């Protein structure tokens, strides 16, 4: 059975002799993941066991593919939370719900391991709210490994992938003629494993380099527990006194193997002609929570009625977290913090990146919405910046100080901590560090996340230029599902999911900085809420063979309950005078107004609407009162009952709230759907069309699959869109005319005529 470590404090020094074993990670030992004992061919290979890799492997297996997940030291690395110990957030929480709606793992695992749950933006409109939860790192890893072990058709191989096995002269209908096709992978020990599809999810390991001040080494991350063990040694204990934990050493060795293998994979991508870029991310130092003065910090409690991520856990209505709940705390930087960081930057101390420059000198491209401390003070001088103190688990004293990621020298980091209220005496267990890594320009991918340069090769996660666990998991699910059935892809649109927005942004626009999902990126965000992800996507997942029977039944029950609630709200109506007596500001046109329409008004809520209906003795007012009572968070729903629970009522109310706006958007959604149905061939010769050189360059780089995608490419002119539309319509007309003859020769003739038409 695996265990977590607890650190015990004596003064400001940590000693390994004070380590003790904490409670087990889970209540029962997780079932081991099936090990792959041969090198027989499989259908899908997934490289990497991070958030993208876990979802990709599970999704491929759920669609019936024989799936193999390859990663070094699986028990030490699968499900590792490399950076912050939390899941979800604004927009990100919606992605987690969408992954869950498609029967993915992240939501259920987060519910199992969560030690604090909060609904962000709870006081704002439902469309911009974001579920977020603090995780116990060890519990999350154990729960993810248990979830993977329960997926039929999924096996795991302890190995490192160093190259792809390719076949020339592929005939994929999704690619231009002559595009090579993936036939498997080559392992570090020389063995090969055959597969018709490979999903690469290498995270930050693709030529990854870690920077701690002026020190650097090849790696994609530092295994946090290994570093804490090293910190304890540095605190004064001899090596003989501190036997290294075998799990921790296994994680360190696995990361070293992964870094070496990913460097070779980067060479493979370059050989295939992929355009690669360089990005940077980072993580803050880790602190001993017992040396923090919480008395001067602001407590950050979780919600009194926690909301789960998984729709399956919403079924009962009175869900409660499985783990004990904890508080986070908040503090802030000071003027002294800024002065110290600025002095360090001015003196040139700190990491020097591949460009030869420091952070202050613009030497790296880091996340815009999660910048380093150095960048914060450069962009926003004179401000105090929040620091969120987040526990890393129940069985450890380690605290993650979110908001002070940096790559300064270790001594500067220690001095910097002493300038932050509450952290004056905090013991730093692991220094902050930056990671610089390669990524593939995602404009070289199809919307399914399959590569254009090699058929059967899918990419997901940070290798595509994104940042964040949630973005990685969502891409992993999409890539894995499509790798399992490339002829029947799961095609998501900007109008139906944040995942569709994410994929379209990456493939159509690319990114020059780590891409983070934001609600502002989704033009149809009023319809793409966290609470209705199952209504939007679970039926799609069922049709694709991606969703299990249990979830399909739960989603059908919930859809019927939401529909029944909306029908009741539509059925109850009052006169303006009756609504006015209930406290609502009304006009005097005399027309009756439905309860559903009242809920679209600012400030209206279900309790107030029900009270007004009761005061007016309206028909079905008693049903409305029962509905308001059922909407109270934490209200249990009888097992096996079809009665709506709190989550069902909330979704119906939100639907009513946004109904007038969604009706206006329906025309825009329909127009986008029409454009998405106008497909562009993968080998279309844009240079042969009467387009400007700029249009040719942009269209040839992105190679949009449909007219809608072409419209969204920055810089493509309206004139070019008109020419593309004419081309598509001529091609459709010519093909339809000749296909009426019912001959293969006729279809070939139609293709030739359509190609000639493109040059007219």
């Amino acid at each position: 059975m695996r265990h977590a470590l607890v650190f015990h404090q004596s003064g400001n020094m940590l000693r390994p002799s004070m380590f003790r074993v904490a409670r087990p990670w889970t209540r029962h030992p997780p079932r081991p993941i099936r090990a792959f004992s041969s090198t027989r061919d499989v259908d899908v290979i997934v490289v990497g066991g991070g958030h993208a890799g876990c979802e990709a492997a599970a999704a491929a297996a759920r669609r019936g593919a024989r799936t193999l997940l390859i990663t070094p030291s699986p028990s030490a690395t699968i499900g590792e939370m490399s950076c912050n110990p939390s899941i979800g957030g604004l927009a990100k929480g919606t992605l987690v719900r969408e992954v869950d709606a498609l029967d993915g793992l992240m939501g259920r695992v987060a519910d199992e391991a969560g030690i604090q749950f909060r609904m962000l933006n709870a006081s704002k409109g439902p469309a911009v709210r974001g579920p977020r939860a603090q995780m116990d790192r060890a519990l999350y890893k154990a729960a993810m490994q248990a979830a993977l072990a329960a997926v039929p058709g999924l096996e795991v191989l302890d190995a490192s992938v160093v190259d792809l096995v390719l076949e020339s002269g592929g005939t994929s209908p999704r690619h231009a003629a002559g595009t090579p096709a993936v036939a498997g992978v080559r392992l570090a020990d020389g063995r090969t494993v055959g597969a018709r599809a490979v999903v690469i999810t290498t995270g930050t390991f693709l030529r990854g380099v870690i920077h701690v001040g002026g020190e650097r080494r090849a790696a994609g991350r530092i295994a946090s527990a290994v570093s804490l063990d090293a910190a304890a040694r540095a605190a004064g204990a001899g090596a003989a006194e501190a036997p290294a934990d075998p799990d921790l050493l296994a994680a360190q060795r696995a990361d070293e193997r992964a870094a070496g293998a990913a460097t070779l994979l980067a060479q493979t991508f370059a050989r295939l002609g992929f355009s690669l870029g360089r990005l940077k991310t980072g993580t803050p130092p880790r602190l001993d929570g017992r040396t923090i003065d919480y008395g001067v910090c602001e407590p950050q409690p979780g919600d009194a009625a926690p909301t789960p991520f998984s729709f399956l856990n919403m079924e009962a209505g009175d869900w409660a977290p499985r783990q004990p709940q904890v508080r986070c705390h908040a503090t802030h930087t000071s003027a002294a913090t800024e002065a110290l960081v600025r002095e360090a930057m001015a003196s040139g101390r700190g990491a020097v990146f591949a460009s030869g420059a420091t952070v202050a000198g613009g030497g790296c491209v880091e996340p815009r919405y999660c910048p380093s401390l150095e960048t914060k003070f450069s962009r926003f001088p004179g401000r105090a910046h929040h620091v969120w103190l987040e526990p890393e688990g129940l069985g450890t004293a380690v605290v993650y100080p979110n908001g002070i990621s940096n790559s300064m020298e270790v001594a500067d980091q220690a001095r910097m901590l002493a300038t932050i209220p509450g952290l004056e005496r905090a013991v730093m267990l692991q220094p902050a560090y930056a990671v610089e890594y390669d990524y593939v320009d995602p404009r070289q991918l199809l919307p399914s996340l399959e590569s254009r340069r090699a058929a059967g090769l899918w990419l997901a996660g940070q290798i595509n230029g994104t940042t964040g666990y949630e973005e990685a998991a969502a891409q992993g699910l999409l890539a894995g599902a499509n790798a399992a059935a490339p002829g029947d892809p799961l095609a998501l649109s900007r109008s139906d999911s944040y995942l569709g927005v994410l994929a379209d942004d990456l493939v159509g626009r690319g990114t020059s900085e780590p891409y983070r999902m934001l609600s502002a990126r989704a033009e149809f965000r009023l319809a793409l809420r966290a609470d209705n992800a199952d209504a939007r996507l679970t039926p799609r997942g069922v049709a694709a063979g991606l969703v299990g029977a249990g979830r399909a039944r739960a989603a059908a029950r919930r859809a019927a309950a939401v529909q029944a609630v909306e029908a009741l709200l539509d059925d109850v109506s009052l006169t303006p005078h009756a609504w006015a007596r209930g406290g609502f500001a009304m006009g005097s046109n005399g027309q009756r107004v439905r309860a559903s329409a009242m809920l679209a008004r600012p400030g209206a809520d279900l309790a107030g609407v029900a009270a007004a209906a009761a005061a007016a003795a309206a028909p079905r007012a008693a049903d409305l009162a029962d509905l308001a009572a059922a909407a109270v968070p934490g209200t249990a729903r009888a097992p096996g009952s079809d009665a709506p629970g709190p989550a069902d009522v909330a979704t119906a109310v939100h639907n009513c709230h946004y109904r007038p706006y969604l009706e206006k958007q329906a025309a825009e959604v329909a127009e986008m759907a029409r454009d998405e149905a106008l497909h562009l061939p993968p080998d279309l010769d844009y240079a042969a069309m009467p387009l400007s050189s700029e249009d040719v360059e942009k269209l040839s780089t992105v190679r949009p699959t449909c007219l809608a995608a072409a419209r969204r490419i920055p810089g493509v002119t309206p004139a070019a869109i008109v020419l593309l539309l004419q081309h598509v319509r001529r091609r459709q007309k010519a093909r339809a005319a000749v296909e009426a003859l019912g001959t293969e020769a006729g279809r070939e003739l139609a293709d030739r005529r359509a190609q000639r038409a493109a040059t007219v």
Side-chain angles (χ1 to χ4, degrees):
M1 183 179 293
R2 309 172 69 78
H3 295 81
L5 290 175
V6 174
F7 298 89
H8 292 273
Q9 174 78 20
S10 174
N12 282 340
M13 306 295 285
L14 290 172
R15 296 191 178 91
S17 59
M18 299 175 182
F19 286 47
R20 69 174 173 82
V21 173
R23 58 169 177 74
W25 284 5
T26 55
R27 293 171 180 157
H28 304 286
R31 177 170 46 177
I33 302 174
R34 285 173 293 279
F36 188 71
S37 57
S38 71
T39 54
R40 69 181 187 278
D41 289 356
V42 295
D43 295 323
V44 176
I45 290 174
V46 177
V47 180
H51 302 282
C54 290
E55 295 293 351
R62 289 200 306 277
R63 282 196 101 180
R66 294 171 300 160
T67 305
L68 177 63
L69 172 60
I70 303 179
T71 190
S73 299
S75 62
T77 59
I78 287 179
E80 180 69 39
M81 304 185 82
S82 303
C83 193
N84 59 303
S86 67
I87 296 293
L90 301 178
K92 291 170 172 282
T94 304
L95 279 177
V96 178
R97 287 275 179 85
E98 292 183 350
V99 167
D100 182 74
L102 291 167
D103 225 359
L105 308 179
M106 178 173 273
R108 282 175 284 163
V109 170
D111 287 347
E112 176 72 22
I115 57 177
Q116 188 197 75
F117 292 80
R118 293 186 69 183
M119 182 63 72
L120 304 185
N121 274 356
S123 62
K124 298 185 179 181
V128 293
R129 295 174 190 168
R132 182 185 188 273
Q134 205 66 33
M135 296 292 112
D136 180 306
R137 286 185 187 274
L139 285 171
Y140 187 92
K141 179 188 286 188
M144 181 58 77
Q145 293 184 15
L148 286 174
V151 177
L154 171 59
E155 296 178 286
V156 174
L157 177 63
D158 181 352
S160 300
V161 172
V162 297
D163 201 359
L164 299 172
V165 177
L166 299 167
E167 294 177 343
S168 60
T171 58
S172 165
R174 306 177 301 280
H175 296 78
T179 301
V182 165
V185 298
R186 181 167 289 104
L187 307 179
D189 61 9
R191 290 179 296 164
T192 61
V193 182
R196 56 173 174 75
V198 174
V199 184
I200 303 290
T201 67
T202 48
T204 58
F205 282 87
L206 207 65
R207 285 205 312 128
V209 176
I210 284 178
H211 299 266
V212 182
E215 297 182 10
R216 53 184 289 166
R217 68 180 176 89
R221 67 180 172 213
I222 296 176
S224 60
V226 173
S227 300
L228 297 180
D229 178 63
R233 292 169 182 269
E241 300 177 66
D245 183 276
D247 288 337
L248 307 185
L249 289 179
Q252 186 179 44
R253 286 193 295 267
D255 288 350
E256 291 171 352
R257 291 165 59 195
T263 296
L264 296 175
L265 270 180
Q267 297 173 9
T268 299
F269 284 115
R271 188 174 70 247
L272 284 169
F274 281 95
S275 174
L276 301 176
R278 197 85 172 147
L279 296 176
K280 173 253 182 187
T281 188
T283 191
R286 305 302 194 270
L287 309 179
D288 179 1
R290 281 163 303 204
T291 63
I292 295 173
D293 181 3
Y294 291 109
V296 299
C297 300
E298 180 185 353
Q300 299 285 314
D303 291 342
T307 302
F309 280 107
S310 179
F311 289 100
L312 295 179
N313 288 329
M314 296 179 195
E315 279 292 284
D318 59 347
W319 176 84
R322 289 175 59 87
Q323 309 303 331
Q325 298 297 283
V326 303
R327 279 187 175 185
C328 296
H329 289 79
T331 182
H332 53 82
T333 61
S334 65
T337 313
E338 180 171 357
L340 189 150
V341 173
R342 284 188 171 280
E343 186 277 326
M345 290 192 294
S347 67
R349 299 196 303 273
V352 177
F353 296 93
S355 63
T358 62
V359 174
C364 56
V365 181
E366 65 181 18
R368 178 185 299 270
Y369 302 100
C370 187
S372 65
L373 196 57
E374 298 98 318
T375 299
K376 286 181 179 180
F377 287 131
S378 295
R379 287 186 191 168
F380 310 107
R383 292 190 190 179
H385 298 280
H386 286 297
V387 181
W388 311 101
L389 304 176
E390 304 176 351
E392 294 212 350
L394 299 173
T396 177
V398 182
V399 169
Y400 181 96
N402 197 340
I404 55 173
S405 166
N406 68 87
S407 55
M408 297 190 297
E409 299 291 345
V410 175
D412 286 332
Q413 292 187 39
R415 287 193 291 270
M416 176 269 294
L417 290 173
T419 67
I420 297 175
L423 306 186
E424 294 90 346
R425 295 178 177 81
V427 171
M428 182 168 61
L429 303 175
Q430 171 187 300
Y433 64 90
V435 186
E436 196 178 13
Y437 58 96
D438 280 355
Y439 79 104
V440 172
D441 184 340
R443 292 177 297 177
Q444 299 165 101
L445 305 178
L446 295 165
S448 65
L449 301 186
E450 185 180 12
S451 155
R452 296 181 187 277
R453 296 193 174 276
L457 175 63
W458 275 260
L459 308 182
Q462 285 182 282
I463 192 173
N464 289 339
T466 61
T467 180
Y469 302 155
E470 303 80 7
E471 289 87 346
Q475 291 174 73
L477 185 146
L478 183 62
N482 288 327
D488 183 22
L490 176 66
L492 300 179
S493 166
R494 300 184 71 90
S495 63
D496 60 31
S497 62
Y498 270 56
L499 178 47
V501 173
L502 170 63
D504 185 73
D505 278 352
L506 292 176
V507 171
R509 302 176 183 179
T511 185
S512 58
E513 62 185 37
Y515 177 102
R516 176 176 178 169
M517 193 68 239
L518 303 169
S519 58
R521 299 188 192 275
E523 58 269 50
F524 302 115
R525 57 185 170 275
L526 299 185
L528 309 182
R529 307 188 310 269
D531 68 277
N532 70 355
D534 58 335
R536 292 184 281 113
L537 295 180
T538 301
R540 302 283 301 277
V542 171
L546 188 60
V547 171
R551 183 178 293 273
R553 286 192 298 270
R557 183 216 62 80
R558 197 170 112 78
V562 170
Q563 185 177 14
V565 172
E566 289 191 57
L568 173 59
L569 292 168
D570 285 336
D571 197 35
V572 175
S573 65
L574 303 179
T575 65
H577 181 65
W579 286 120
R581 285 202 310 269
F584 295 94
M586 301 296 296
S588 57
N589 61 9
Q591 294 183 350
R592 299 180 70 87
V593 181
R594 294 176 175 177
S596 56
M598 293 303 298
L599 289 170
R601 300 192 175 200
D605 60 21
L606 181 59
V609 167
R620 302 199 69 184
D623 294 337
L624 206 55
D626 291 342
L627 197 65
V632 176
T635 302
R637 192 176 66 82
S641 168
D642 290 332
D648 307 329
V649 178
T651 296
V653 169
H654 298 161
N655 289 346
C656 293
H657 178 73
Y658 287 119
R659 186 183 291 175
Y661 308 98
L662 298 179
E663 289 173 350
K664 292 178 181 178
Q665 278 190 348
E668 298 174 28
V669 173
E671 182 181 0
M672 179 182 290
R674 286 193 297 271
D675 285 353
E676 287 174 342
L678 296 173
H679 297 287
L680 300 173
D683 55 353
L684 182 59
D685 186 359
Y686 295 103
M689 301 177 70
L691 299 168
S692 70
S693 57
E694 182 180 0
D695 285 332
V696 170
E697 179 185 356
K698 292 180 179 296
L699 290 166
S700 299
T701 298
V702 176
R703 293 216 155 267
T705 57
C706 64
L707 193 67
R711 285 187 191 275
R712 293 190 289 268
I713 299 174
V716 171
T717 63
I721 298 300
V722 171
L723 286 170
L724 288 175
L725 177 60
Q726 292 172 347
H727 166 78
V728 170
R729 286 178 174 169
R730 282 196 296 264
R731 185 183 181 93
Q732 289 177 337
K733 185 176 181 180
R735 190 174 186 88
V738 182
E739 279 189 343
L741 302 177
T743 65
E744 185 64 30
R747 283 189 287 274
E748 292 177 359
L749 176 61
D751 286 338
R752 289 197 297 273
R753 287 179 175 176
Q755 289 291 339
R756 285 199 301 272
T759 64
V760 176

